[in-house]
Amino acid sequence: MRRIANLIAGKWTAPQDGKYFDDHNPATGEKIAEIPSSTAADIKTAVAGAQMAQPEWGALPVEERAVWLDSIASALEARSDEIAELESRDTGKPVALARAVDAARSALNFRFFAELVRELPDELYKMKDALNVVVRKPVGVAGLITPWNLPLYLLSWKVAPAILMGNCVVCKPSRLTPLTANLLAEVVTEAGLPPGVVNIVHGSGSKCGQALVEHPAVGAISFTGGTSTGRSVAAGAAPLFKKLSLELGGKNATIVCGDADLEKTIPGAARAAFMNQGQVCLCGSRLLVERSIWDEFVPRFVAYVKAMSIGDPASCDLGALVSQEHRKKVESYVVLAQEEGGTVLCGGERPTLEPPFDSGAFLEPAVIEGLAPDSRSATEEIFGPVVTLHPFENDDEALAIANNTEYGLAGSVWTRDLERGRRIAEGIDTGMVWVNCWLHRDLRVPFGGIKNSGVGREGGRYSLEFFSEPTNICLMEA
Ligand code: TXE
């Protein structure tokens, strides 16, 4: 059991009011750490630390900052197993998933942005009698607020481009999953990153997150989390004209056409539905299946889901949900779905597990059919291991169902006819669509959603643009 501290201006710092939260392992219920219950006063100190460091950091050539990103990436790679174990302990997710996704991507995020900036062409616009040169300057201090589902993966996705572009950052991780943010704090400290470039303040969203959003010296906020919280973040940032990037919830459709290769599609649709226990904003939580293959697809899909192991995160396909409270929220949707006329084909119950996992927040993956596409459980984000099945007769009907939600983040289409797949993909009102795959990521592409899934895009040069202010200089011979 560890008591961790904030990292402010290069110093390990206790919360000013001396209060701490307990951090638990959701798979066993055991207390694993104490984290600062910081307040606005701690945020204020951290922002001051960032402001102090920013002029010198921002004045470095971007190539020098890219070298810092490479050294952070190397340090994260060296601690990959530790990251996987910590992330699994903090979130309840399978260790194998934490290694393959969270740990690998956290290091890659730093490596990728260091490489990207080296390949970026200068931004020049020639006129017949003048030359326009676009210079990108840092915003200054950026506030990075991250959720509990992919803690270091999403924190590194924001920190890397933000500091690369010359900003100093104040990070506010989720109080539910602080440990790998603390590991990043150790890494940047041990790497000798100048004090104040990366500051990490632990605490609640209402006390710390909100203070960061409203701090007048924070010029940009990058937020990933729930739509309702995103609304209050936007309300806090708007009057101060801050740059704002919101990556929020999703209720994504997986569309399976009659000609899909089921050998590939069934595992693909199950992975899209249940990766990280369904706690990924990109998850395919609605499964739309063409009527012509419904009778073949459904029993095979249910059998596949039933065969997924659940329990000890060290060895199972599915681990625990992030908390008992979140499990209760997900269970309430399984009940609601049945009240709305759904039939649970499998899952939705608490598995019987041996100690110490008998007190973990586990929930068997649920497959539910018979719901009207506009029912609450088929349109609201559940963010857990629950997928609803919906038949469709033709592509127009599939699109009508897919688009009938307040969200617009992601989706996938499975068909042997790539032209048909692309046509359907273009018809879905969303930010990202995969065809015959899911979560197949090229980090250069725009990442983000529309409607209640957020505002703006990050990823590749979109991140570099978000975390900088362009100045255009038009040069004409005297
Ligand atoms: O998100 P929150 P949570 C969805 C999912 C989940 C719901 C709640 O539906 O059930 O969001 O999850 C900080 N001002 N997603 O509780 O509350 C908070 O401390 C500033 C989708 O994690 O949005 C945390 O660090 N900050 C999402 C971060 O915001 C505030 C992934 C996210 O917390 C704040 C996770 C405030 N007023 C959840 N209130 C995705 N898109 O992947 C809280 N925070």
Side-chain angles (χ1 to χ4, degrees), residues 145-149 172 174 205 209 223 226 229 248 281 329 381 383:
I145 303 174
T146 44
W148 46 256
N149 60 328
K172 212 302 288 177
S174 172
F223 171 84
T229 312
L248 307 177
C281 54
K329 171 188 166 187
E381 184 182 50
F383 216 65

Side-chain angles (χ1 to χ4, degrees), residues 145-150 154 172-176 203-213 223-230 232-233 247-250 279-282 322 326 329 381-383 407 409 453:
I145 303 174
T146 44
W148 46 256
N149 60 328
L150 296 158
L154 290 171
K172 212 302 288 177
S174 172
R175 58 173 274 199
L176 294 175
S204 71
S206 50
K207 277 199 202 143
C208 294
Q210 191 154 346
L212 186 56
V213 168
F223 171 84
T224 297
T227 293
S228 60
T229 312
S232 58
V233 169
E247 205 273 279
L248 307 177
Q279 298 168 136
V280 180
C281 54
L282 302 168
V322 75
H326 186 58
K329 171 188 166 187
E381 184 182 50
I382 298 171
F383 216 65
Y407 295 102
L409 188 59
S453 290

Side-chain angles (χ1 to χ4, degrees), residues 58-243:
L60 288 180
V62 68
E63 294 75 14
E64 256 188 67
R65 295 194 293 262
V67 171
W68 279 108
L69 265 63
D70 273 327
S71 56
I72 294 169
S74 302
L76 290 172
E77 283 159 1
R79 297 180 69 170
S80 181
D81 286 344
E82 185 187 351
I83 292 169
E85 201 280 324
L86 264 187
E87 207 69 294
S88 171
R89 203 152 17 112
D90 224 358
T91 61
K93 72 175 73 186
V95 177
L97 177 71
R99 182 174 302 111
V101 174
D102 302 73
R105 249 309 281 283
S106 301
L108 178 62
N109 284 341
F110 283 94
R111 193 75 75 198
F112 163 74
F113 281 108
E115 217 30 63
L116 179 72
V117 84
R118 294 180 182 121
E119 295 157 7
L120 268 192
D122 292 337
E123 207 175 338
L124 306 171
Y125 300 95
K126 282 202 180 73
M127 302 167 78
K128 62 179 182 347
D129 58 351
L131 172 67
N132 292 280
V133 181
V134 179
V135 171
R136 288 203 164 271
K137 298 177 185 172
V139 176
V141 174
L144 312 180
I145 303 174
T146 44
W148 46 256
N149 60 328
L150 296 158
L152 190 55
Y153 175 119
L154 290 171
L155 180 59
S156 55
W157 182 240
K158 298 175 190 292
V159 169
I163 65 174
L164 178 66
M165 296 312 280
N167 305 288
C168 290
V169 297
V170 176
C171 309
K172 212 302 288 177
S174 172
R175 58 173 274 199
L176 294 175
T177 54
L179 297 185
T180 49
N182 186 61
L183 183 139
L184 179 64
E186 290 171 351
V187 160
V188 299
T189 305
E190 286 153 23
L193 190 70
V197 173
V198 171
N199 303 277
I200 297 188
V201 178
H202 294 281
S204 71
S206 50
K207 277 199 202 143
C208 294
Q210 191 154 346
L212 186 56
V213 168
E214 293 170 355
H215 194 297
V218 175
I221 293 286
S222 175
F223 171 84
T224 297
T227 293
S228 60
T229 312
R231 223 171 250 120
S232 58
V233 169
L240 296 163
F241 303 114
K242 294 180 188 225
K243 294 191 83 171

Side-chain angles (χ1 to χ4, degrees), residues 1 8 44 46 150 187 223 236 248 260 293 341 444 456 472:
M1 209 285 290
I8 296 179
K44 204 157 157 258
L150 296 158
V187 160
F223 171 84
L248 307 177
I293 57 164
R444 295 169 299 178
N472 184 64

Side-chain angles (χ1 to χ4, degrees), residues 319-334:
L321 300 190
V322 75
S323 68
Q324 299 287 347
E325 185 191 355
H326 186 58
R327 178 171 65 173
K328 287 199 184 88
K329 171 188 166 187
V330 177
E331 287 174 320
S332 73
Y333 273 100
V334 177

